[in-house]
Amino acid sequence: MLAVLTAVLVATTSPAMAADTSSVNWDSEAAPNGVYEGNMTKDVHDMSWGQSAEAVRKFENDSGVVTKIEGEVNTSYDNPYSFVFSDVNVSDWGEFPHDKPNVSALDASEWSKDVSGSAGSATISDVETAPGVEAVNFATSSQTSGDTAFMTFSNFSVTSDEAKRFGQVVYDVNTVDSGAYYEVRVVDEDGDYKVIVNDTETGDGFVDQEQLGNLATEGSGDGTFDNIQKVEVYAIDGDVDMTIAGLNAEKKSAYDLGSMKKDTDSDDSLESVDINSTHTGGEVSLSGLDTLGPAFADAEINDLTVPVNLPASMAGEDDSKLVLDEDSSVDGGNYPGFKGTATVYVRMEVPSQYDLSFSGMSLNDTQSVTSGRLMSVQYAEGTGDTEFENISDASWSDITSSYGSKGDTVVVDDTVQPGTPGVLKVKMKLTPGQFDAIEGSTSGGGGGGATGAGGWGNIPVIGGLIVAAVAFLKRLG
């Protein structure tokens, strides 16, 4: 019986370096900090999904299901939300005049043209500035200096509070001949007008909003601006190609175009600055989508670009693994002063989805332990979903020499391609506190006794022998 007891004790004693496979506690100090960093552009962001950084994670996947990207907007940027105003589908931009539900100033058939003062020609056509964003295009051809062509929308009438109304235009300018310019005018019943736009610039996403009472009255009328009857678009002294995506001449307030953070007084601190009435074209970068006004509450923002982080901590359970090897003794084992080693595997991937595109992406890792505790770091690409332990030695690249001190950031991969996963493997010596903290929930493993889970005692025959041995020892006593 003593021989049996000896055998049982040998069988149930854990090896000195028993391996335990667990999940990673990504909140622990020693957990690797691998993260993809760069810019993500969403084909469309529906503002009804929400306007927070969390809501911006939502997108429509290739199956048509609204889901979330395993990442987050990098809100450390002052103004992380970038887009072009003329690429935003805002319902109110096409609803002028509001008292005629079947009429829209963005319908080309509602416009007329006059080229009597030109040797050239003009066209008016329905277009889109972005998917789902209706617009009307005005283009002249063969105009020269001294030529003038204009297009007119007149299926509306504003007969009260004319001075309080805003003239509002959202537009792109594709081409303008050298020496030519364009104007957008709001015209009253006897020919007096207010100039909302007068420019020579080309580009996308211009927004001009002016309260009509603050603008000079011009034209051939009686000098009193009342009874608004027309909006006119002019191409003067050459050819102009211009697209209007938003038009209004009856609102009594400006569209709230959001705000950005900037240092306005050179005191090295940022202030929140409202864009107010105009935007001079190109991308706008806002501090938050929630700074946009109520007209944008249900808008669809095409090509919204944000800086993103896709961290290792968001990897799924099947894409990460922790192997713990506990030393036989903290002081007298292979690694004196350490409880053992931890090897972390994590498979990371920039998603490949039709509605998402990425630019400037790189995989970076911030060193989580001191150089004396970091044993090795390896990286493998092109392994697909191969089990970590089955990745061939030839696939691994040793990048340990790129690491230095705790807190250093290492560029692991700066040629990241969406849909191509990479595996980061980090092996570390850990103190008792770090060793215990890095472990999440146990998911199986070989050591058993190292963590008190499993073990030979769970096998019925051996368990019975243990019980018999204990009883025998009591009788001997």
Side-chain angles (χ1 to χ4, degrees):
M1 184 60 89
L2 286 174
V4 171
L5 176 59
T6 301
V8 168
L9 292 176
V10 171
T12 58
T13 300
S14 298
M17 295 292 289
D20 172 53
T21 302
S22 306
S23 63
V24 182
N25 175 14
W26 294 106
D27 292 328
S28 63
E29 175 193 12
N33 297 298
V35 57
Y36 288 119
E37 296 179 284
N39 292 322
M40 177 182 75
T41 299
K42 299 171 61 176
D43 275 9
V44 63
H45 176 71
D46 190 332
M47 291 283 277
S48 66
W49 295 341
Q51 301 167 21
S52 65
E54 176 68 17
V56 172
R57 292 177 57 198
K58 293 183 178 180
F59 72 101
E60 188 175 288
N61 66 18
D62 291 353
S63 299
V65 177
V66 176
T67 185
K68 289 184 179 181
I69 186 173
E70 293 300 328
E72 55 200 6
V73 176
N74 187 348
T75 54
S76 66
Y77 284 76
D78 299 329
N79 301 295
Y81 304 93
S82 300
F83 59 91
V84 175
F85 274 116
S86 57
D87 290 344
V88 182
N89 187 359
V90 181
S91 59
D92 195 64
W93 287 354
E95 293 182 356
F96 168 68
H98 286 75
D99 61 347
K100 295 184 176 183
N102 297 320
V103 176
S104 171
L106 300 185
D107 183 349
S109 66
E110 293 287 345
W111 291 78
S112 61
K113 61 185 177 182
D114 187 332
V115 291
S116 60
S118 172
S121 61
T123 61
I124 305 171
S125 56
D126 291 315
V127 296
E128 290 185 342
T129 54
V133 182
E134 295 181 354
V136 58
N137 174 261
F138 309 96
T140 62
S141 177
S142 301
Q143 286 207 144
T144 59
S145 178
D147 287 343
T148 298
F150 65 94
M151 285 65 81
T152 302
F153 171 70
S154 59
N155 194 357
F156 75 100
S157 180
V158 177
T159 59
S160 65
D161 296 325
E162 293 89 343
K164 297 179 181 179
R165 311 288 178 167
F166 277 73
Q168 298 165 315
V169 191
V170 183
Y171 60 99
D172 298 340
V173 181
N174 305 311
T175 59
V176 178
D177 281 353
S178 176
Y181 65 99
Y182 51 86
E183 286 188 354
V184 178
R185 304 174 181 177
V186 177
V187 187
D188 76 359
E189 62 181 353
D190 61 3
D192 292 316
Y193 63 85
K194 308 278 189 174
V195 177
I196 308 304
V197 179
N198 177 297
D199 213 334
T200 63
E201 294 294 317
T202 59
D204 294 341
F206 295 98
V207 181
D208 283 82
Q209 305 185 95
E210 301 290 347
Q211 192 167 34
L212 299 178
N214 293 330
L215 298 173
T217 299
E218 304 178 55
S220 58
D222 60 6
T224 300
F225 187 77
D226 53 13
N227 293 330
I228 302 170
Q229 302 295 318
K230 301 176 184 178
V231 174
E232 295 176 335
V233 177
Y234 276 75
I236 302 169
D237 288 339
D239 286 329
V240 175
D241 187 324
M242 178 181 187
T243 299
I244 292 180
L247 185 65
N248 208 321
E250 60 187 0
K251 272 174 62 67
K252 293 183 180 180
S253 61
Y255 291 111
D256 187 345
L257 303 179
S259 61
M260 61 179 65
K261 293 179 181 177
K262 59 189 300 186
D263 184 4
T264 59
D265 50 14
S266 302
D267 64 352
D268 295 328
S269 63
L270 298 176
E271 292 79 40
S272 182
V273 179
D274 292 335
I275 295 176
N276 293 324
S277 61
T278 63
H279 176 62
T280 55
E283 272 194 341
V284 63
S285 295
L286 302 181
S287 58
L289 294 182
D290 56 357
T291 67
L292 289 165
F296 296 86
D298 296 316
E300 293 179 339
I301 301 177
N302 289 281
D303 295 329
L304 174 66
T305 299
V306 293
V308 291
N309 294 335
L310 311 181
S313 59
M314 289 191 169
E317 288 188 8
D318 293 337
D319 290 319
S320 63
K321 179 181 178 181
L322 170 67
V323 179
L324 295 174
D325 287 309
E326 186 172 350
D327 205 356
S328 58
S329 169
V330 171
D331 296 319
N334 294 323
Y335 308 110
F338 298 98
K339 186 172 181 178
T341 66
T343 303
V344 177
Y345 298 83
V346 59
R347 179 179 287 107
M348 301 174 64
E349 180 180 354
V350 174
S352 177
Q353 294 284 331
Y354 184 81
D355 277 4
L356 301 179
S357 58
F358 297 86
S359 61
M361 297 297 291
S362 64
L363 174 57
N364 304 322
D365 183 31
T366 301
Q367 188 170 328
S368 61
V369 296
T370 59
S371 58
R373 301 179 186 186
L374 187 66
M375 299 174 70
S376 67
V377 184
Q378 295 173 288
Y379 181 66
E381 279 190 295
T383 60
D385 57 359
T386 304
E387 295 289 340
F388 296 128
E389 61 271 15
N390 293 331
I391 296 176
S392 67
D393 292 341
S395 296
W396 293 108
S397 297
D398 193 304
I399 57 174
T400 313
S401 61
S402 299
Y403 288 73
S405 302
K406 181 179 179 180
D408 288 352
T409 297
V410 176
V411 178
V412 176
D413 186 357
D414 60 0
T415 59
V416 175
Q417 296 297 320
T420 302
V423 178
L424 189 65
K425 177 184 178 182
V426 183
K427 186 174 183 179
M428 303 164 284
K429 295 179 289 187
L430 300 181
T431 63
Q434 292 173 324
F435 190 94
D436 295 338
I438 199 171
E439 184 177 18
S441 59
T442 301
S443 60
T451 60
W456 286 93
N458 286 336
I459 301 176
V461 174
I462 300 300
L465 289 174
I466 293 174
V467 173
V470 172
F472 178 69
L473 287 175
K474 287 183 178 179
R475 290 181 63 187
L476 287 179

